[in-house]
PDB file of all heavy atoms in Angstrom:
ATOM      1  N   PHE B 857       1.147  21.971 -14.868  1.00 95.00           N
ATOM      2  CA  PHE B 857      -0.226  22.396 -14.647  1.00 95.00           C
ATOM      3  C   PHE B 857      -1.180  21.190 -14.601  1.00 95.00           C
ATOM      4  O   PHE B 857      -1.060  20.282 -15.428  1.00 95.00           O
ATOM      5  CB  PHE B 857      -0.636  23.351 -15.787  1.00 95.00           C
ATOM      6  CG  PHE B 857      -2.118  23.503 -15.927  1.00 95.00           C
ATOM      7  CD1 PHE B 857      -2.814  24.336 -15.069  1.00 95.00           C
ATOM      8  CD2 PHE B 857      -2.814  22.778 -16.895  1.00 95.00           C
ATOM      9  CE1 PHE B 857      -4.190  24.443 -15.180  1.00 95.00           C
ATOM     10  CE2 PHE B 857      -4.190  22.890 -17.008  1.00 95.00           C
ATOM     11  CZ  PHE B 857      -4.873  23.728 -16.149  1.00 95.00           C
ATOM     12  N   GLY B 858      -2.086  21.180 -13.634  1.00 95.00           N
ATOM     13  CA  GLY B 858      -3.102  20.125 -13.578  1.00 95.00           C
ATOM     14  C   GLY B 858      -2.594  18.796 -13.026  1.00 95.00           C
ATOM     15  O   GLY B 858      -3.313  17.809 -13.014  1.00 95.00           O
ATOM     16  N   VAL B 859      -1.342  18.763 -12.580  1.00 98.00           N
ATOM     17  CA  VAL B 859      -0.772  17.525 -12.036  1.00 98.00           C
ATOM     18  C   VAL B 859      -0.743  17.642 -10.507  1.00 98.00           C
ATOM     19  O   VAL B 859      -0.372  18.690  -9.975  1.00 98.00           O
ATOM     20  CB  VAL B 859       0.648  17.283 -12.589  1.00 98.00           C
ATOM     21  CG1 VAL B 859       1.205  15.958 -12.074  1.00 98.00           C
ATOM     22  CG2 VAL B 859       0.628  17.320 -14.115  1.00 98.00           C
ATOM     23  N   THR B 860      -1.160  16.585  -9.806  1.00 98.00           N
ATOM     24  CA  THR B 860      -1.373  16.680  -8.362  1.00 98.00           C
ATOM     25  C   THR B 860      -0.447  15.731  -7.599  1.00 98.00           C
ATOM     26  O   THR B 860       0.264  14.913  -8.197  1.00 98.00           O
ATOM     27  CB  THR B 860      -2.822  16.284  -8.003  1.00 98.00           C
ATOM     28  OG1 THR B 860      -2.961  14.873  -8.260  1.00 98.00           O
ATOM     29  CG2 THR B 860      -3.843  17.042  -8.845  1.00 98.00           C
ATOM     30  N   ALA B 861      -0.536  15.833  -6.275  1.00 98.00           N
ATOM     31  CA  ALA B 861       0.243  14.941  -5.405  1.00 98.00           C
ATOM     32  C   ALA B 861      -0.079  13.473  -5.702  1.00 98.00           C
ATOM     33  O   ALA B 861       0.794  12.613  -5.679  1.00 98.00           O
ATOM     34  CB  ALA B 861      -0.062  15.259  -3.943  1.00 98.00           C
ATOM     35  N   LYS B 862      -1.337  13.171  -5.963  1.00 98.00           N
ATOM     36  CA  LYS B 862      -1.728  11.791  -6.278  1.00 98.00           C
ATOM     37  C   LYS B 862      -0.991  11.289  -7.514  1.00 98.00           C
ATOM     38  O   LYS B 862      -0.556  10.130  -7.562  1.00 98.00           O
ATOM     39  CB  LYS B 862      -3.248  11.734  -6.506  1.00 98.00           C
ATOM     40  CG  LYS B 862      -3.826  10.339  -6.800  1.00 98.00           C
ATOM     41  CD  LYS B 862      -3.634   9.412  -5.615  1.00 98.00           C
ATOM     42  CE  LYS B 862      -4.480   8.165  -5.650  1.00 98.00           C
ATOM     43  NZ  LYS B 862      -5.893   8.370  -5.441  1.00 98.00           N
ATOM     44  N   ASP B 863      -0.829  12.179  -8.497  1.00 98.00           N
ATOM     45  CA  ASP B 863      -0.122  11.782  -9.714  1.00 98.00           C
ATOM     46  C   ASP B 863       1.359  11.532  -9.426  1.00 98.00           C
ATOM     47  O   ASP B 863       1.959  10.636 -10.012  1.00 98.00           O
ATOM     48  CB  ASP B 863      -0.304  12.853 -10.793  1.00 98.00           C
ATOM     49  CG  ASP B 863      -1.782  13.090 -11.084  1.00 98.00           C
ATOM     50  OD1 ASP B 863      -2.479  12.104 -11.352  1.00 98.00           O
ATOM     51  OD2 ASP B 863      -2.247  14.243 -11.000  1.00 98.00           O
ATOM     52  N   ILE B 864       1.931  12.319  -8.506  1.00 98.00           N
ATOM     53  CA  ILE B 864       3.344  12.091  -8.137  1.00 98.00           C
ATOM     54  C   ILE B 864       3.497  10.689  -7.571  1.00 98.00           C
ATOM     55  O   ILE B 864       4.355   9.918  -8.007  1.00 98.00           O
ATOM     56  CB  ILE B 864       3.835  13.096  -7.057  1.00 98.00           C
ATOM     57  CG1 ILE B 864       3.787  14.538  -7.575  1.00 98.00           C
ATOM     58  CG2 ILE B 864       5.251  12.733  -6.599  1.00 98.00           C
ATOM     59  CD1 ILE B 864       4.276  15.569  -6.540  1.00 98.00           C
ATOM     60  N   ILE B 865       2.667  10.329  -6.593  1.00 98.00           N
ATOM     61  CA  ILE B 865       2.873   9.031  -5.934  1.00 98.00           C
ATOM     62  C   ILE B 865       2.533   7.873  -6.875  1.00 98.00           C
ATOM     63  O   ILE B 865       3.222   6.849  -6.889  1.00 98.00           O
ATOM     64  CB  ILE B 865       2.149   8.943  -4.560  1.00 98.00           C
ATOM     65  CG1 ILE B 865       2.553   7.681  -3.814  1.00 98.00           C
ATOM     66  CG2 ILE B 865       0.646   9.060  -4.667  1.00 98.00           C
ATOM     67  CD1 ILE B 865       4.019   7.585  -3.437  1.00 98.00           C
ATOM     68  N   LEU B 866       1.499   8.028  -7.688  1.00 98.00           N
ATOM     69  CA  LEU B 866       1.195   6.952  -8.651  1.00 98.00           C
ATOM     70  C   LEU B 866       2.343   6.795  -9.655  1.00 98.00           C
ATOM     71  O   LEU B 866       2.719   5.678 -10.022  1.00 98.00           O
ATOM     72  CB  LEU B 866      -0.123   7.230  -9.378  1.00 98.00           C
ATOM     73  CG  LEU B 866      -1.402   7.006  -8.560  1.00 98.00           C
ATOM     74  CD1 LEU B 866      -2.632   7.483  -9.338  1.00 98.00           C
ATOM     75  CD2 LEU B 866      -1.586   5.542  -8.177  1.00 98.00           C
ATOM     76  N   ALA B 867       2.931   7.926 -10.072  1.00 98.00           N
ATOM     77  CA  ALA B 867       4.051   7.866 -11.026  1.00 98.00           C
ATOM     78  C   ALA B 867       5.272   7.208 -10.370  1.00 98.00           C
ATOM     79  O   ALA B 867       5.982   6.428 -11.009  1.00 98.00           O
ATOM     80  CB  ALA B 867       4.394   9.261 -11.531  1.00 98.00           C
ATOM     81  N   ILE B 868       5.505   7.517  -9.097  1.00 98.00           N
ATOM     82  CA  ILE B 868       6.626   6.907  -8.376  1.00 98.00           C
ATOM     83  C   ILE B 868       6.447   5.385  -8.332  1.00 98.00           C
ATOM     84  O   ILE B 868       7.369   4.622  -8.611  1.00 98.00           O
ATOM     85  CB  ILE B 868       6.725   7.484  -6.934  1.00 98.00           C
ATOM     86  CG1 ILE B 868       7.251   8.922  -6.981  1.00 98.00           C
ATOM     87  CG2 ILE B 868       7.622   6.609  -6.048  1.00 98.00           C
ATOM     88  CD1 ILE B 868       7.182   9.663  -5.635  1.00 98.00           C
ATOM     89  N   ILE B 869       5.237   4.942  -7.998  1.00 98.00           N
ATOM     90  CA  ILE B 869       4.994   3.497  -7.876  1.00 98.00           C
ATOM     91  C   ILE B 869       5.057   2.817  -9.246  1.00 98.00           C
ATOM     92  O   ILE B 869       5.599   1.722  -9.392  1.00 98.00           O
ATOM     93  CB  ILE B 869       3.651   3.222  -7.160  1.00 98.00           C
ATOM     94  CG1 ILE B 869       3.675   3.839  -5.753  1.00 98.00           C
ATOM     95  CG2 ILE B 869       3.383   1.721  -7.066  1.00 98.00           C
ATOM     96  CD1 ILE B 869       2.325   3.909  -5.078  1.00 98.00           C
ATOM     97  N   ALA B 870       4.531   3.515 -10.286  1.00 98.00           N
ATOM     98  CA  ALA B 870       4.591   2.941 -11.640  1.00 98.00           C
ATOM     99  C   ALA B 870       6.050   2.795 -12.080  1.00 98.00           C
ATOM    100  O   ALA B 870       6.423   1.822 -12.729  1.00 98.00           O
ATOM    101  CB  ALA B 870       3.828   3.824 -12.628  1.00 98.00           C
ATOM    102  N   LYS B 871       6.880   3.766 -11.696  1.00 98.00           N
ATOM    103  CA  LYS B 871       8.279   3.747 -12.143  1.00 98.00           C
ATOM    104  C   LYS B 871       9.125   2.734 -11.358  1.00 98.00           C
ATOM    105  O   LYS B 871       9.932   2.021 -11.935  1.00 98.00           O
ATOM    106  CB  LYS B 871       8.860   5.146 -11.992  1.00 98.00           C
ATOM    107  CG  LYS B 871      10.281   5.282 -12.514  1.00 98.00           C
ATOM    108  CD  LYS B 871      10.688   6.740 -12.671  1.00 98.00           C
ATOM    109  CE  LYS B 871      12.124   6.818 -13.206  1.00 98.00           C
ATOM    110  NZ  LYS B 871      12.557   8.179 -13.473  1.00 98.00           N
ATOM    111  N   PHE B 872       8.928   2.684 -10.035  1.00 98.00           N
ATOM    112  CA  PHE B 872       9.842   1.881  -9.207  1.00 98.00           C
ATOM    113  C   PHE B 872       9.252   0.558  -8.705  1.00 98.00           C
ATOM    114  O   PHE B 872       9.973  -0.282  -8.188  1.00 98.00           O
ATOM    115  CB  PHE B 872      10.356   2.710  -8.029  1.00 98.00           C
ATOM    116  CG  PHE B 872      11.056   3.977  -8.457  1.00 98.00           C
ATOM    117  CD1 PHE B 872      10.561   5.215  -8.104  1.00 98.00           C
ATOM    118  CD2 PHE B 872      12.206   3.907  -9.241  1.00 98.00           C
ATOM    119  CE1 PHE B 872      11.200   6.381  -8.512  1.00 98.00           C
ATOM    120  CE2 PHE B 872      12.858   5.067  -9.652  1.00 98.00           C
ATOM    121  CZ  PHE B 872      12.351   6.313  -9.290  1.00 98.00           C
ATOM    122  N   GLY B 873       7.941   0.396  -8.794  1.00 97.00           N
ATOM    123  CA  GLY B 873       7.348  -0.899  -8.464  1.00 97.00           C
ATOM    124  C   GLY B 873       6.760  -0.992  -7.066  1.00 97.00           C
ATOM    125  O   GLY B 873       7.051  -0.178  -6.194  1.00 97.00           O
ATOM    126  N   VAL B 874       5.926  -2.025  -6.871  1.00 97.00           N
ATOM    127  CA  VAL B 874       5.204  -2.178  -5.613  1.00 97.00           C
ATOM    128  C   VAL B 874       6.059  -2.703  -4.466  1.00 97.00           C
ATOM    129  O   VAL B 874       5.619  -2.709  -3.330  1.00 97.00           O
ATOM    130  CB  VAL B 874       3.956  -3.087  -5.733  1.00 97.00           C
ATOM    131  CG1 VAL B 874       2.846  -2.387  -6.480  1.00 97.00           C
ATOM    132  CG2 VAL B 874       4.303  -4.422  -6.373  1.00 97.00           C
TER     133      VAL B 874
END
Side-chain angles (χ1 to χ4, degrees):
Chain B
F857 161 79
V859 183
T860 68
K862 182 64 164 290
D863 303 308
I864 297 180
I865 189 63
L866 286 173
I868 287 171
I869 300 167
K871 184 165 180 176
F872 303 117
V874 287

